């Protein structure tokens, strides 16, 4: 260490003496300090899960059966252990975290009453489906659990509890606890069954007819800058199961940071320093245990380009007519899309819309499971188990695409950065209310990302595409929705096979702007429950 003396003169004329001390040490730590030798590698999944106990809260990071995986976990090892080849060319039949879940399922006689937190409830004998089959789950906290028919049946018969949470809110509640935040306010779910707590957590045995065993959870609501928000509390996990190499970036990163114990099943374990610091999205500080993965990727819905354009002449007359009607609706909805838009497409009919964009119209498709720049279905050669859309169909990426976790995805959605969201619906009201996720006591699919997608309608235009009437001719455009709301006063445009309506969300009024070819005004009035205005010059398509 050495000193240097400087002299300065102040404006007053006084002399000021300044002494500076310098060190000749070159590094803050010794240059040859090795990485810690303590290994996080466990010999088997059976050993890694041995201290999980009944009543624990389990976070399942491999949310979708085959989400895209883009984060590498740093393994604390000094020698290369090649567990499995990279998965970009593997197409088999197991869930990404089935190694750990399978080990837990072996202990079905001693570990029970678990709470499983996941985007869905798994499927068959994969994901949380494994623990459903062994009766180890007493409650599920999820966004879209109804894809598992067994879970749907158990819930509707009062055999299991469910806390139904919007997908973006679920990601934020998990992230909040990881960041030490006990609660937060969000616009998602305001003025809906989520705020009111009117979605039961559990029915009495036998189902809704026998009453409600555990009521829903009502939420505190406040207004900020003229908008209504609901308060959501953080979710704390005891154990997180995560798949690594490449790590699922849907919910896995926030789940890994949340739990008391995070266990990773890894396909490739590499020595310290093998991964560029810029490529690590989940630092090793969040990982407690690593086990070799013993299962392979699971593509639940393999959708190929040639299948999407297959000859529809083989369909029955009824199915062919239904498909033609869906395409007719999608063709009209495509007119609402402008060049350069960022667009989110819901599951089902909305995915047909890009086929009918005008020439020269280029858009960025956003998928809430974490893609911006989603491309068409892949060919067999392009098939990648790590790339799917929100409906679990295999997809591709366009040049310039980016991928990210669910927390980031729903931040851009709630923040109004998406120009247009196109959704299906079971009911829409004249005020722009939308209901599209459940029929109490009869049908449960789940909220998914829909509540987030309609949470900022002043910045994200919400377009509903749907059949004008339900089975039996019951109108779906109503004075007031009878089903639980996905969003209140959120829809701006309604497109059906008969007509197109603009929605005045403030006044609570509809205006008919287009009639389908061959459809009369009288037919639309007869099949629409609410009154509506008619534009002076009606369009057609």
């Amino acid at each position: 260490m050495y000193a240097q003396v400087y002299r300065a003169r102040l404006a007053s004329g006084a002399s000021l003496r300044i002494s500076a001390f310098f060190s000749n040490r070159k590094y803050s730590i010794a240059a040859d300090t090795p990485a810690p030798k303590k290994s996080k590698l466990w010999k088997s999944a059976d050993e890694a899960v041995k201290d999980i106990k009944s009543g624990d809260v389990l976070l399942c990071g491999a949310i979708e059966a085959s989400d895209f995986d883009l984060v590498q976990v740093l393994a604390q090892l000094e020698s290369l252990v090649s567990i499995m080849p990279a998965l970009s060319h593997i197409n088999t039949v197991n869930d990404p975290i089935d190694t750990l879940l399978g080990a837990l399922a072996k202990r079905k006689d001693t570990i029970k009453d678990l709470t499983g937190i996941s985007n869905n409830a798994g499927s068959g004998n994969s994901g949380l489906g494994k623990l459903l089959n062994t009766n180890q789950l007493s409650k599920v906290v999820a966004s879209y659990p109804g894809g598992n028919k067994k879970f749907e049946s158990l819930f509707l018969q009062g055999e299991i509890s469910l806390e139904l949470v919007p997908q973006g809110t679920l990601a934020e509640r998990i992230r909040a606890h990881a960041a030490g935040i006990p609660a937060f306010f969000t616009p998602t779910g305001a003025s809906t069954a989520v705020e009111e707590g009117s979605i039961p957590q559990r029915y009495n045995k036998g189902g809704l007819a026998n009453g409600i065993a555990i009521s829903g959870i009502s939420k505190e609501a406040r207004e900020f800058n003229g908008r209504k928000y609901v308060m959501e509390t953080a979710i704390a996990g005891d154990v997180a199961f995560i798949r690594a190499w490449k790590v699922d970036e849907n919910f896995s990163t926030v789940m890994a940071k949340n739990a008391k114990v995070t266990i990773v099943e890894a396909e490739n374990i590499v020595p310290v320093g093998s991964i560029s610091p810029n490529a690590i999205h989940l630092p090793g500080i969040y990982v407690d245990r690593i086990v070799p993965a013993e299962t392979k990727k699971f593509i639940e819905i393999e959708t190929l380009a040639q299948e999407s354009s297959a000859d529809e002449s083989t369909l029955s007359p009824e199915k062919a007519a239904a498909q033609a009607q869906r395409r007719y609706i999608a063709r009209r909805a495509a007119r609402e899309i402008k060049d350069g838009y960022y667009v989110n497409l819901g599951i089902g009919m909305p995915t047909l819309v890009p086929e009918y964009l005008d020439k020269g119209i280029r858009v960025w498709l956003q998928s809430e499971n974490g893609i911006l720049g989603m491309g068409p279905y892949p060919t067999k050669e392009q098939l990648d188990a790590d790339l799917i859309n929100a409906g679990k169909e295999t997809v591709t990426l366009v040049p310039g695409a980016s991928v990210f976790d669910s927390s980031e995805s729903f931040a851009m959605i709630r923040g109004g950065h998406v120009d247009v969201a196109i959704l299906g619906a079971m009911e829409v009201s004249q005020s722009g209310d939308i209901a599209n996720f459940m029929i109490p006591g009869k049908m449960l699919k789940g909220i998914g990302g829909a509540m987030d997608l309609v949470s900022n309608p002043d910045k994200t235009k919400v377009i509903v595409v749907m059949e004008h009437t339900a089975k039996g001719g019951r109108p779906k455009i109503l004075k007031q929705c009878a089903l639980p709301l996905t969003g209140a006063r959120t829809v701006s445009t309604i497109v059906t096979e008969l007509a197109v309506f603009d929605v005045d969300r403030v006044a609570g009024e509809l205006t008919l702007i287009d009639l389908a070819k061959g459809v009369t005004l009288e037919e639309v009035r007869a099949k629409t429950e609410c009154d509506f205005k008619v534009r002076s010059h009606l369009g057609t398509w």
Side-chain angles (χ1 to χ4, degrees):
M1 181 177 292
Y2 64 94
Q4 179 71 46
V5 178
Y6 299 91
R7 295 183 183 277
R9 187 170 297 279
L10 302 178
S12 63
S15 178
L16 178 66
R17 178 177 175 175
I18 303 172
S19 296
F21 296 88
F22 299 89
S23 172
N24 59 4
R25 186 176 179 181
K26 295 182 178 180
Y27 302 100
S28 59
I29 61 173
D32 58 350
T33 300
K37 290 186 176 181
K38 181 181 178 181
S39 176
K40 297 180 180 181
L41 183 65
W42 289 53
K43 293 181 179 179
S44 69
D46 292 337
E47 285 291 312
V49 305
K50 66 181 181 180
D51 53 358
I52 296 177
K53 59 187 183 301
S54 294
D56 275 352
V57 176
L58 175 64
L59 304 174
C60 291
I63 300 300
E64 302 290 357
S66 52
D67 280 337
F68 53 90
D69 304 333
L70 295 165
V71 186
Q72 298 178 4
V73 173
L74 178 61
Q76 304 296 323
L77 299 176
E78 295 190 43
S79 60
L80 178 64
V81 182
S82 181
I83 303 299
M84 294 179 67
L87 286 197
S88 59
H89 302 293
I90 292 177
N91 174 17
T92 51
V93 291
N94 291 295
D95 185 87
I97 51 172
D98 276 355
T99 300
L100 290 166
L101 287 170
L104 192 58
K106 293 177 185 177
R107 302 180 61 197
K108 61 184 178 181
D109 296 328
T110 57
I111 300 178
K112 297 182 178 295
D113 197 31
L114 295 170
T115 295
I117 300 179
S118 176
N119 187 50
N120 57 43
S123 60
N125 199 38
S126 288
L128 287 184
K130 280 186 177 292
L131 303 185
L132 284 173
N133 293 338
T134 53
N135 298 314
Q136 290 173 275
L137 291 173
S138 62
K139 181 179 179 179
V140 169
V141 181
S143 169
Y144 199 83
N148 186 319
K149 295 299 182 183
K150 179 170 183 174
F151 175 82
E152 182 181 29
S153 177
L154 289 171
F155 174 70
L156 294 176
Q157 291 302 311
E159 300 291 339
I160 195 168
S161 298
L162 168 67
E163 185 178 342
L164 194 59
V165 184
Q167 190 173 349
T169 299
L170 181 59
E172 285 302 306
R173 289 179 66 186
I174 296 168
R175 189 192 67 82
H177 177 73
I181 299 171
F184 59 90
F185 281 91
T186 175
T188 302
S191 300
T192 73
V194 167
E195 177 191 337
E196 298 161 358
S198 56
I199 304 173
Q201 293 186 77
R202 190 169 189 146
Y203 296 115
N204 285 324
K205 287 194 175 181
L208 178 60
N210 295 327
I212 295 172
I214 304 176
S215 299
I217 304 169
S218 60
K219 309 292 172 64
E220 177 185 341
R222 294 188 191 180
E223 280 197 8
F224 298 92
N225 300 320
R227 290 185 67 195
K228 192 176 186 182
Y229 295 76
V230 297
M231 189 180 79
E232 295 282 359
T233 56
I235 291 175
D238 294 305
V239 183
F241 285 176
I242 308 297
R243 178 83 170 198
W245 182 270
K246 305 169 185 177
V247 171
D248 175 2
E249 207 182 79
N250 193 285
F251 280 67
S252 283
T253 50
V254 292
M255 286 186 170
K257 296 173 183 179
N258 177 295
K260 297 174 184 176
V261 177
T262 294
I263 309 175
V264 171
E265 59 176 76
E267 300 164 31
N268 293 274
I269 301 176
V270 298
V272 171
S274 299
I275 306 171
S276 166
N278 293 325
I280 298 173
H281 296 174
L282 181 64
I285 194 172
Y286 296 111
V287 178
D288 299 291
R289 304 171 187 175
I290 303 169
V291 301
E294 298 174 356
T295 61
K296 299 177 183 179
K297 286 285 183 179
F298 172 41
I299 297 181
E300 191 167 342
I301 305 176
E302 181 182 303
T303 310
L304 301 177
Q306 58 264 34
E307 293 177 357
S308 63
S309 58
D311 185 0
E312 295 178 2
S313 63
T314 59
L315 298 176
S316 68
E318 294 79 10
K319 289 184 177 181
Q323 183 68 355
Q325 179 174 283
R326 288 159 58 88
R327 291 188 176 279
Y328 187 70
I329 295 170
R331 183 181 293 109
R332 175 58 184 83
R335 293 188 188 178
E336 303 296 315
I337 307 302
K338 307 302 180 185
D339 190 49
Y341 269 13
Y342 293 95
V343 181
N344 183 286
L345 303 175
I347 296 170
M349 196 189 309
T351 62
L352 299 173
V353 172
E355 297 181 31
Y356 299 102
L357 294 175
D358 291 338
K359 288 184 178 180
I361 299 295
R362 298 291 183 268
V363 300
W364 292 97
L365 296 181
Q366 196 259 13
S367 184
E368 60 261 35
N369 62 321
I371 301 176
L372 183 62
M374 182 171 63
Y377 297 127
T379 63
K380 191 70 174 179
E381 293 71 30
Q382 294 173 318
L383 186 66
D384 188 337
D386 294 332
L387 289 172
I388 66 167
N389 61 21
K392 303 182 183 180
E393 298 173 316
T394 47
V395 294
T396 57
L397 301 178
V398 300
S402 56
V403 292
F404 31 82
D405 65 21
S406 281
S407 184
E408 182 73 30
S409 179
F410 285 99
M412 63 179 67
I413 289 170
R414 287 190 307 272
H417 303 287
V418 175
D419 296 298
V420 173
I422 304 179
L423 303 173
M426 291 186 279
E427 294 178 347
V428 180
S429 80
Q430 64 185 30
S431 300
D433 302 338
I434 176 175
N436 72 351
F437 71 93
M438 72 179 298
I439 301 174
K442 295 182 179 180
M443 185 273 286
L444 171 74
K445 291 300 179 185
I447 297 168
M451 279 193 180
D452 297 277
L453 286 164
V454 303
S455 67
N456 198 347
D458 291 336
K459 292 186 176 180
T460 299
K461 181 178 181 179
V462 178
I463 300 172
V464 165
V465 291
M466 66 177 187
E467 291 82 7
H468 206 95
T469 60
K471 291 181 179 179
R474 179 180 62 81
K476 295 173 67 174
I477 303 175
L478 311 169
K479 294 179 181 178
Q480 185 173 351
C481 293
L483 297 174
L485 296 185
T486 305
R489 294 181 181 266
T490 59
V491 177
S492 293
T493 303
I494 306 169
V495 182
T496 76
E497 77 280 13
L498 302 181
V500 180
F501 294 93
D502 276 346
V503 184
D504 186 331
R505 295 183 288 107
V506 176
E509 297 176 341
L510 297 182
T511 298
L512 178 68
I513 62 170
D514 280 1
L515 278 177
K517 287 184 179 180
V519 175
T520 64
L521 179 59
E522 289 70 25
E523 181 181 0
V524 174
R525 289 193 187 280
K527 294 181 178 180
T528 306
E529 183 192 76
C530 58
D531 294 330
F532 55 85
K533 298 178 180 179
V534 180
R535 192 170 64 178
S536 57
H537 301 289
L538 283 175
T540 190
W541 84 99

